Amino acid sequence: MDFYDFKNAFLIGFFMAFMIGPVFFMLIQTSILKGARAAIAFDIGVILGDISFILIAYYGSRSLLEKIKDDPRLFFLGGLALIIYGLITYLDKSNKKEAIETSKIVNVPIRNNYLKLFFKGFFLNFINIGVLAFWLGTILVIGPTLNMNQNAIFSYFGVIILGYFTTDIVKIILAKQLKNKMTPFVIYKVKKIMGVILIVFGFLLMLKGFIPNERLEEFIH
């Protein structure tokens, strides 16, 4: 891989890290509330989800993948999963009593279930069928420019993942600086906001499955 391809792949990963979605907000929340190590465990799960989609998109049948990525049932199930997770987050009563009684800053818990965070990251990424569509489209665009050479394609996408992960590490470190402002009231409000965000993205994902892209774009604009 020459420097030009490396730079382009790294930049794709960099801009991917700022794509607004449920994973973006959950990564920031995890870093603020649980610390950098917890956020990294979550992010590794997200990246494993991306790698899984890349392998599916590369080795899978193109015609089959085209049918899968446009199957409204998958958008519905993915959106429903996001909505349920958002409701659980929104209705979580932990920190409510402390939020009412005190404004004292709390310490970030030292013990975290990193395996659970890892699977949470993988789950949130993998249920979004739009991510599969993104990687499939990227392979269809990038593959021919690399003469469909397997080693070159995997190297290119490896650099994309590197750029993505490196940028996420910077985001995690910056977000962690906010932990000193984490009172029980702020934590309670952050969880409420995160729940609403996940529910909104869930509804949008479900709409994407049942409304043609052209109609959806007209509605947005």
Side-chain angles (χ1 to χ4, degrees):
M1 176 184 293
D2 58 24
F3 178 75
Y4 178 79
D5 286 337
F6 183 92
K7 179 194 69 175
N8 287 345
F10 194 90
L11 285 175
I12 291 173
F14 173 81
F15 287 114
M16 275 182 59
F18 291 99
M19 291 174 65
I20 304 300
V23 168
F24 176 91
F25 291 106
M26 283 300 300
L27 180 68
I28 300 301
Q29 183 207 34
T30 302
S31 180
I32 293 173
L33 300 185
K34 297 181 179 294
R37 291 182 180 178
I40 290 172
F42 174 86
D43 201 36
I44 291 174
V46 172
I47 287 173
L48 182 61
D50 281 317
I51 292 173
S52 300
F53 275 144
I54 291 171
L55 293 175
I56 291 171
Y58 181 79
Y59 287 112
S61 164
R62 177 177 173 179
S63 59
L64 176 61
L65 287 171
E66 289 290 348
K67 292 178 181 177
I68 290 176
K69 77 180 184 68
D70 293 324
D71 190 337
R73 290 172 297 182
L74 294 178
F75 285 98
F76 178 82
L77 291 175
L80 183 62
L82 278 180
I83 290 171
I84 292 172
Y85 188 75
L87 286 172
I88 292 172
T89 303
Y90 182 83
L91 297 174
D92 184 8
K93 299 298 183 181
S94 61
N95 297 110
K96 183 176 181 179
K97 181 179 179 181
E98 294 87 345
I100 296 173
E101 294 179 351
T102 180
S103 61
K104 181 180 179 181
I105 294 175
V106 297
N107 293 322
V108 175
I110 297 175
R111 292 184 179 179
N112 285 306
N113 188 332
Y114 296 113
L115 186 62
K116 182 179 178 180
L117 287 164
F118 168 83
F119 282 113
K120 182 187 290 186
F122 179 84
F123 171 76
L124 276 180
N125 202 27
F126 200 76
I127 62 175
N128 190 349
I129 198 67
V131 178
L132 172 59
F134 169 81
W135 287 119
L136 176 60
T138 305
I139 285 180
L140 293 177
V141 171
I142 299 299
T145 67
L146 300 174
N147 298 317
M148 296 307 294
N149 181 284
Q150 180 174 302
N151 291 334
I153 290 174
F154 284 159
S155 296
Y156 194 93
F157 280 86
V159 174
I160 291 178
I161 295 296
L162 175 65
Y164 179 87
F165 185 65
T166 302
T167 308
D168 273 354
I169 294 296
V170 176
K171 283 160 49 184
I172 289 168
I173 293 172
L174 293 176
K176 186 174 178 290
Q177 305 309 311
L178 297 174
K179 73 174 183 178
N180 292 330
K181 301 182 184 297
M182 287 297 105
T183 65
F185 178 77
V186 173
I187 292 174
Y188 183 69
K189 288 299 181 182
V190 166
K191 288 182 177 179
K192 288 284 188 181
I193 293 170
M194 274 305 309
V196 172
I197 289 172
L198 290 171
I199 291 170
V200 170
F201 276 108
F203 275 117
L204 290 175
L205 190 59
M206 292 173 74
L207 282 175
K208 186 175 175 60
F210 292 99
I211 300 177
N213 289 334
E214 297 78 9
R215 292 285 303 279
L216 194 59
E217 289 174 3
E218 290 176 5
F219 176 78
I220 294 173
H221 295 293

